[in-house]
Amino acid sequence: MRLLRIVPDNTRFGFVRRRVISFPFSAAISVATAVLLLVWGLHFGIDFTGGTLIELQARNGQADVATIRHVANSFSQGGVEVQEFGSGGVSIRVPVQPGGEGAQGEVVRKARDAFGKDYEFRRVETVGPRVSGELVQSGTLGVVLSILAVLAYLWFRFELPFAIGAIIGTMHDIVLTVGFFVITRIEFNMTSIAAILTIVGYSLNETVVVFDRTRELMRRYKTMPLEELLDLSVNTTLSRTAMTATTTALSLLALVLFGGEAIRDFAVVMLFGVIICTYSAMFVSTPALLYLGVRDAKAKTGGPAQTPAVEGPF
């Protein structure tokens, strides 16, 4: 039986020479992300801002968004955000009310009285200002500590030039993921923190696979030009990379289509992350090694003169 192959064996694509396109493109997108982050900012969820989130589902037909917005504004102090989603679904976001938890609970009670007859309450979440502040601190601390742990791992796992190349790729993926949040206006909450941390792990995995093959080939082909060697590294792991990315993307696509509203945003962000991580491993992290002196670092660390490398796809 002939095995299914997403990419053929013995490919010879010139990934590294495409850096004249990929580097300016990634730099431009990163700068645009920084500008948009300053101008638009992230669309923070109630996890970080505090308030009440109510999701309704019309019992019959479509939701009357205009009426819901008018009624919701009548029992809330401050602007109420009302958005329609799916078929007959409506989300109501009420900011923190003066009076603490009692006032927030009163908003929910009034909403049930006003909409309970025509709408089903699918989700009700209330977060006070103190809790939201603690979540901001814990979420930020979690991301920072996780990134520092990844950097420490890279430092010990590879020689310094390889570690720097992996760090460049990982930070590139984080920046573009944040840009995706800014552009799409997907709600940024604690689930988004989990998505970013998962993308960091996936990015690291993709980069480590290529860099491991690069080190093997450097021991075997000591006189091969570095650009050619890096292309060989990416090509010999391309089949594995394509299979991993495709199977992961198909799973996430199923969650996007059939997973429901609760998990859809997470799946969409992860699907974007898989694409970006695969791109950066081939067109950002690996070409960056050209400018980081990997051959000099390898010569200093020494090592066995000949280590056979496994030919073909990883």
Side-chain angles (χ1 to χ4, degrees), residues 87-129:
S87 177
V90 177
S91 67
I92 305 173
R93 187 187 306 275
V94 182
V96 176
Q97 301 294 297
E101 295 182 1
Q104 297 293 114
E106 184 67 15
V107 167
V108 176
R109 187 190 64 78
K110 290 180 179 179
R112 291 189 183 277
D113 291 341
F115 307 123
K117 180 180 178 180
D118 299 320
Y119 297 90
E120 177 185 351
F121 281 69
R122 292 289 184 87
R123 178 184 174 191
V124 177
E125 292 184 6
T126 300
V127 178

Side-chain angles (χ1 to χ4, degrees), residues 209-249:
V209 168
V210 178
F211 282 9
D212 267 340
R213 179 50 61 90
T214 300
R215 295 197 303 178
E216 292 176 5
L217 295 178
M218 287 179 66
R219 296 189 186 104
R220 181 168 184 177
Y221 303 114
K222 296 181 179 298
T223 60
M224 179 182 290
L226 185 56
E227 181 173 335
E228 184 179 342
L229 187 142
L230 294 176
D231 273 335
L232 183 60
S233 301
V234 179
N235 278 287
T236 54
T237 57
L238 187 59
S239 178
R240 180 262 179 206
T241 299
M243 183 63 71
T244 302
T246 301
T247 53
T248 306

Side-chain angles (χ1 to χ4, degrees), residues 159-299:
E159 293 82 4
L160 181 59
F162 286 99
I164 294 175
I167 291 169
I168 291 173
T170 302
M171 298 307 296
H172 166 274
D173 297 337
I174 293 175
V175 170
L176 265 62
T177 301
V178 171
F180 184 74
F181 276 106
V182 174
I183 293 173
T184 60
R185 309 309 294 168
I186 290 177
E187 184 178 288
F188 193 85
N189 49 32
M190 293 302 292
T191 303
S192 306
I193 297 293
I196 289 177
L197 295 180
T198 306
I199 289 172
V200 168
Y202 190 90
S203 173
L204 177 62
N205 178 71
E206 291 296 302
T207 303
V208 164
V209 168
V210 178
F211 282 9
D212 267 340
R213 179 50 61 90
T214 300
R215 295 197 303 178
E216 292 176 5
L217 295 178
M218 287 179 66
R219 296 189 186 104
R220 181 168 184 177
Y221 303 114
K222 296 181 179 298
T223 60
M224 179 182 290
L226 185 56
E227 181 173 335
E228 184 179 342
L229 187 142
L230 294 176
D231 273 335
L232 183 60
S233 301
V234 179
N235 278 287
T236 54
T237 57
L238 187 59
S239 178
R240 180 262 179 206
T241 299
M243 183 63 71
T244 302
T246 301
T247 53
T248 306
L250 288 175
S251 300
L252 292 169
L253 184 60
L255 290 177
V256 171
L257 297 176
F258 310 112
E261 293 295 330
I263 200 173
R264 181 166 296 151
D265 288 349
F266 174 84
V268 168
V269 174
M270 283 301 305
L271 186 59
F272 173 81
V274 168
I275 297 172
I276 289 300
C277 292
T278 304
Y279 159 80
S280 69
M282 295 185 293
F283 294 102
V284 177
S285 303
T286 302
L289 296 179
L290 281 172
Y291 309 103
L292 297 174
V294 290
R295 285 213 186 269
D296 295 337
K298 203 68 185 174

Side-chain angles (χ1 to χ4, degrees), residues 139-179:
T140 303
L141 182 62
V143 171
V144 171
L145 291 179
S146 298
I147 293 176
L148 290 177
V150 168
L151 299 185
Y153 167 77
L154 293 173
W155 186 278
F156 290 104
R157 180 69 174 80
F158 295 103
E159 293 82 4
L160 181 59
F162 286 99
I164 294 175
I167 291 169
I168 291 173
T170 302
M171 298 307 296
H172 166 274
D173 297 337
I174 293 175
V175 170
L176 265 62
T177 301
V178 171

